[in-house]
Amino acid sequence: MEILQKHSSAAQVWEEAEEFIRLFHRENPQAGDPRARLAAVRAELAETGTYRHTPEELVHGARVAWRNSNRCIGRLYWNSLRVRDRRGLTEAEDIAAECFEHLREATNGGRVRPTITVFAPDAPDRPGPLIWSEQLVRYAGYGDHHSITVGDARNAPLTEALLGLGWSGGAGTPFDLLPLVVQGVDDKPRWFDTPADAVLEVPIRHPDERDDWSDWGLRWHAVPAISNMCLEIGGIHYPAAPFNGWYMGTEIGARNLADTDRYNLLPAVARRLGLDTSSERSLWKDRALVELNRAVLDSFDRAGVTIADHHTESRRFLSHLEREERKGREVGADWSWIVPPISGAATPVFHRTYEDRPSSTAYVHHPGAQERARGRDLV
């Protein structure tokens, strides 16, 4: 099995290292003059082909990578990211255990805390560990076609691969927790059952408390922890660095539960609401989408779990832009990701243009990451 990695030349690593070290010292004046640190980094690069970030550099780099995330609307609080330094871990069992602990700490009893756990980086002589799973929490999808899949259709290929690898499957409900797939250094990918105590789930009920909503058995997990992106800081790549913020309601109500290649719930919601689905001109999809999103927001609020709505988060993003501009920093953004997937024109982020700015300190999908997340070549 071939694992594609992104490699950088020594010259490129030095160029990105110098840029980051200067940024770090500029934004952290207490660190002093950067010349001594730059000399030490250059010497370490010449001797080993890589260099090690100080704990302070790692924290700032992870936060700056969030600040630079062009597809993230929730960057106002980038400087509050909690960084768990686990760079000494390379074995799959240890990494999986720390991923589950990450979930427990980030969940924080429902008051979700933005958190990242950083494992061993790539080195010139060997790649670092990998987390194949797209997120630390994923629901199984049983079936090979969206019209007959029970659960999350997006995860049907991964579910099938895990069953072929020896996972016995869950109870067959639409919300069975998938195992976490981790590949340690010099090891093959392995799966680890997700402990129930590491995942807080919120039952989804409609705020009107109608009887026909009470028997759905809908729920969703509290923490969206992305786990198959590489954290790149100053030329150093951390391929296993799961991170989370908190959910914006539309991620669940307008995408995860509503997309036709996910749970595809809009027809069922429309039937429950007694809507006319004979013609799209009745806007039954739009009405069902709003009610489903109302249910998600209200359910998280009742459970005391952190969640943002798209109107509030849009205003916060404009506050982030203003704050960064006052500091003389340019903010990149991808319009297609920043504008919410529901009521876009009713939010202030819709009525602006943005530049999708690349950065050398960022979270990046490396080649093969998306294929691994779907279980390709797992068996």
Side-chain angles (χ1 to χ4, degrees):
M1 176 182 58
E2 180 182 5
I3 298 296
L4 298 174
Q5 298 286 346
K6 178 181 176 183
H7 295 288
S8 301
S9 66
Q12 183 181 355
V13 172
W14 166 247
E15 179 181 342
E16 295 180 8
E18 182 180 21
E19 178 185 351
F20 171 72
I21 296 300
R22 292 190 183 280
L23 172 73
F24 173 78
H25 282 257
R26 185 166 61 250
E27 297 187 353
N28 297 273
Q30 72 277 9
D33 192 300
R35 285 178 291 185
R37 177 59 178 149
L38 286 170
V41 168
R42 190 155 202 167
E44 191 176 356
L45 271 170
E47 181 179 353
T48 67
T50 187
Y51 71 101
R52 181 177 176 83
H53 290 124
T54 67
E56 295 78 14
E57 289 168 354
L58 181 71
V59 168
H60 193 67
R63 290 172 175 173
V64 169
W66 185 12
R67 189 174 81 195
N68 292 339
S69 297
N70 289 352
R71 292 181 170 184
C72 179
I73 194 174
R75 286 178 266 170
L76 179 62
Y77 305 109
W78 65 271
N79 209 27
S80 68
L81 180 68
R82 298 174 64 251
V83 180
R84 304 175 72 243
D85 186 350
R86 301 295 186 270
R87 287 177 288 173
L89 301 183
T90 60
E91 300 300 319
E93 295 94 338
D94 299 330
I95 292 169
E98 281 298 331
C99 285
F100 300 138
E101 187 58 30
H102 172 127
L103 286 172
R104 296 183 184 99
E105 292 184 17
T107 301
N108 190 34
R111 300 184 65 181
V112 178
R113 299 182 288 194
T115 303
I116 185 171
T117 301
V118 184
F119 297 107
D122 286 340
D125 57 340
R126 66 177 186 176
L130 290 169
I131 300 173
W132 283 49
S133 304
E134 187 175 37
Q135 293 193 19
L136 295 185
V137 181
R138 272 303 196 218
Y139 294 120
Y142 303 103
D144 56 6
H145 189 278
H146 68 83
S147 66
I148 60 172
T149 299
V150 174
D152 194 339
R154 181 182 180 88
N155 299 324
L158 177 59
T159 303
E160 182 179 2
L162 285 165
L163 291 169
L165 203 61
W167 180 53
S168 59
T173 76
F175 299 99
D176 290 351
L177 293 173
L178 277 175
L180 184 68
V181 183
V182 180
Q183 183 171 0
V185 171
D186 300 326
D187 196 4
K188 62 183 180 181
R190 300 164 58 190
W191 59 268
F192 299 86
D193 278 320
T194 302
D197 76 301
V199 182
L200 175 62
E201 294 180 288
V202 177
I204 306 299
R205 299 279 298 274
H206 194 270
D208 294 345
E209 293 286 4
R210 293 168 44 153
D211 291 340
D212 54 1
W213 283 80
S214 63
D215 60 351
W216 276 27
L218 294 182
R219 60 180 183 268
W220 204 259
H221 56 92
V223 178
I226 298 172
S227 51
N228 71 334
M229 297 184 79
C230 179
L231 169 62
E232 298 184 356
I233 304 174
I236 303 300
H237 298 168
Y238 299 95
F243 62 94
N244 72 274
W246 49 71
Y247 269 117
M248 188 164 74
T250 54
E251 295 178 82
I252 303 169
R255 300 302 308 276
N256 299 343
L257 296 178
D259 280 356
T260 55
D261 61 348
R262 299 295 298 280
Y263 280 82
N264 193 27
L265 287 180
L266 293 187
V269 172
R271 287 194 298 271
R272 297 280 178 143
L273 295 173
L275 302 180
D276 175 13
T277 61
S278 63
S279 170
E280 291 184 341
R281 291 179 69 85
S282 70
L283 300 185
W284 65 267
K285 291 182 181 179
D286 308 73
R287 295 169 66 187
L289 196 60
V290 168
E291 294 305 320
L292 185 53
N293 278 268
R294 284 185 65 209
V296 169
L297 290 172
D298 185 74
S299 297
F300 270 65
D301 287 345
R302 291 189 186 202
V305 175
T306 307
I307 195 167
D309 67 86
H310 50 292
H311 296 288
T312 301
E313 208 62 58
S314 294
R315 291 194 300 272
R316 288 175 178 169
F317 182 69
L318 295 189
S319 296
H320 170 67
L321 292 182
E322 294 169 0
R323 182 180 295 180
E324 291 299 298
E325 288 169 359
R326 287 197 299 269
K327 293 181 177 294
R329 294 193 289 253
E330 297 177 326
V331 178
D334 183 336
W335 189 95
S336 65
W337 281 74
I338 295 299
V339 174
I342 180 175
S343 306
T347 64
V349 293
F350 178 90
H351 304 279
R352 296 182 57 131
T353 58
Y354 310 92
E355 185 174 344
D356 194 353
R357 301 178 185 276
S359 174
S360 60
T361 299
Y363 299 102
V364 179
H365 276 121
H366 279 188
Q370 303 289 41
E371 290 77 11
R372 288 194 294 272
R374 285 154 180 74
R376 182 177 177 181
D377 298 328
L378 182 58
V379 180

